Amino acid sequence: DTHMVYSLEVEGQRRPARTCTRRFSAFVELLNRLGREAPGERVSREARGCVDGWKTRLLVEKRHAGRGAKAPAIVSARVALLQRMLDELLAFPEICSSAPLAAFLA
């Protein structure tokens, strides 16, 4: 297989702890879907800012591609970054109950 997958611990409000294993592109798509599909009136300004901030960070992180993306230091840094992203997103009840997050965790 030519792509890298990242395994993260997911523990959110009203969700039992579990492991989530996804490609980097799935995390990018989650943020895009949260930005597109979450109803603006239900999403706090803080949650929207969190999603937008993470979109920018992952866009910068995409610079690691190809063989270099599989280097142990890069993989380790990405796991930490993606874990921090999920933890921050899961702090918002409106994101925890969103359809995009439910689909991502399914």
Side-chain angles (χ1 to χ4, degrees):
D1 216 27
T2 62
H3 62 271
M4 190 72 211
V5 293
Y6 302 90
S7 293
L8 307 171
E9 292 300 313
V10 180
E11 189 173 355
Q13 300 167 349
R14 290 181 259 139
R15 285 187 198 284
R18 58 181 285 218
T19 300
C20 173
T21 303
R22 300 283 182 272
R23 293 177 62 178
F24 185 82
S25 61
F27 291 90
V28 172
E29 182 57 26
L30 169 64
L31 293 172
N32 289 334
R33 288 189 64 208
L34 285 170
R36 251 188 343 260
E37 297 179 19
E41 62 276 357
R42 281 189 43 220
V43 177
S44 67
R45 181 172 293 161
E46 294 82 11
R48 179 76 59 198
C50 182
V51 169
D52 290 343
W54 278 108
K55 280 184 187 180
T56 301
R57 287 184 212 163
L58 293 195
L59 182 63
V60 170
E61 185 58 28
K62 283 172 75 172
R63 73 188 183 279
H64 299 295
R67 218 179 285 237
K70 294 182 181 181
I74 300 297
V75 171
S76 188
R78 273 192 171 178
V79 166
L81 180 78
L82 295 170
Q83 185 68 61
R84 193 165 63 244
M85 181 194 86
L86 275 183
D87 292 346
E88 286 183 20
L89 291 174
L90 289 170
F92 295 99
E94 62 266 44
I95 291 177
C96 284
S97 62
S98 72
L101 184 67
F104 178 81
L105 296 176

